[in-house]
Amino acid sequence: MDLAFRYLNDEDRGITELKSWAKMNNVKMVNKSFKTWI
């Protein structure tokens, strides 16, 4: 895993900001499920 992103409080706002950042920086976003091991 190269990069990870976690939403602290407002998930909807975080998603919007992340998509905006990706578009401005020509970064392709991929939506997929993610599992963690505890």
Side-chain angles (χ1 to χ4, degrees):
M1 175 174 58
D2 293 333
L3 299 172
F5 187 84
R6 182 175 16 169
Y7 308 103
L8 296 178
N9 294 319
D10 186 356
E11 184 175 338
D12 291 333
R13 181 176 173 210
I15 291 170
T16 301
E17 289 179 2
L18 181 59
K19 287 180 179 180
S20 177
W21 176 88
K23 186 175 182 179
M24 289 187 322
N25 291 284
N26 296 320
V27 174
K28 180 182 177 184
M29 288 189 60
V30 177
N31 295 322
K32 62 181 181 178
S33 63
F34 182 80
K35 295 182 182 179
T36 60
W37 289 36
I38 298 175

